[in-house]
C-alpha cells in the first residue's frame, strides 16, 4: 500500500532554515502530484507548496506567503520530495503534512491547492519557529 513518511522537522529560531523530506513507497502510478499542507496551532490546514511529478518534467505551485522563501523539489532515485524552508518566521509554526495523488492532467490551475483531491497523507511533522 502507499505510505508517506515525513521527516526533518524541529525547533528553529526566526530567520533560520529547515529542510523537510517526504518519502513515498508502494505507489503504482507513474505520474503524480505531491504536496505540503500545514496546520498552525488552533487553525485549519492551509496549502504550502505542490509539485507535479511526471517523466517529462515537473511543475510547482506555492502559497503567496512562502513564495521565494520555500522551495519544493524531488529526488527521482529515492521517490522523495523536499521542502527547503529559509528565512523562517514564527507564523510558519505548525504541523506539516505531506500528501500525494495520481496525476492525469488538471484543467483547473488551482487543482494542486485543493486538499480534498489528495488520496494519501503522512502523519505530519512538527515545525516550531521561535522569535
Amino acid at each position: 500500500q502507499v505510505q508517506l513518511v515525513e521527516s526533518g522537522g524541529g525547533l528553529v529560531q526566526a530567520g533560520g532554515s529547515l529542510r523537510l523530506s517526504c518519502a513515498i513507497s508502494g505507489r503504482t502510478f507513474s505520474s503524480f502530484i505531491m504536496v505540503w499542507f500545514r496546520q498552525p496551532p488552533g487553525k485549519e490546514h492551509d496549502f504550502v507548496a505542490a509539485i507535479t511529478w511526471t517523466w517529462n518534467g515537473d511543475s510547482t505551485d506555492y502559497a503567496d506567503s512562502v513564495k521565494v522563501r520555500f522551495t519544493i523539489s524531488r529526488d527521482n532515485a529515492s521517490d522523495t520530495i523536499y521542502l527547503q524552508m529559509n528565512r523562517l518566521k514564527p507564523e510558519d509554526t505548525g504541523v506539516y503534512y505531506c500528501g500525494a495523488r495520481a496525476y492525469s492532467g488538471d484543467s483547473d490551475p488551482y487543482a494542486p491547492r485543493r486538499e480534498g483531491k489528495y488520496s494519501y497523507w503522512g502523519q505530519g511533522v512538527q515545525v516550531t519557529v521561535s522569535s
Side-chain angles (χ1 to χ4, degrees), residues 3-126:
Q3 290 186 327
L4 302 176
V5 179
E6 305 104 326
S7 62
L11 174 65
V12 66
Q13 293 183 343
S17 298
L18 286 173
R19 189 178 75 160
L20 304 183
S21 300
C22 178
I24 184 170
S25 63
R27 67 179 179 92
T28 59
F29 35 85
S30 58
S31 298
F32 53 100
I33 293 176
M34 296 184 70
V35 70
W36 291 98
F37 275 74
R38 68 187 180 190
Q39 184 177 28
K43 297 182 179 180
E44 299 296 319
H45 295 178
D46 57 52
F47 170 79
V48 178
I51 183 166
T52 303
W53 189 332
T54 72
W55 69 271
N56 196 31
D58 299 337
S59 61
T60 57
D61 189 27
Y62 296 93
D64 289 343
S65 61
V66 306
K67 190 170 295 184
V68 178
R69 295 191 298 120
F70 290 12
T71 302
I72 190 169
S73 61
R74 67 165 180 161
D75 181 347
N76 291 342
S78 60
D79 266 9
T80 301
I81 63 164
Y82 303 96
L83 185 68
Q84 179 66 47
M85 304 185 293
N86 298 322
R87 305 198 307 276
L88 283 161
K89 304 174 181 179
E91 52 262 44
D92 294 318
T93 292
V95 179
Y96 284 66
Y97 296 92
C98 179
R101 63 177 171 91
Y103 174 78
S104 59
D106 290 329
S107 59
D108 180 0
Y110 292 98
R113 305 186 177 205
R114 304 190 191 280
E115 183 176 9
K117 296 179 69 70
Y118 291 88
S119 302
Y120 309 101
W121 292 97
Q123 292 190 348
V125 61
Q126 178 70 43

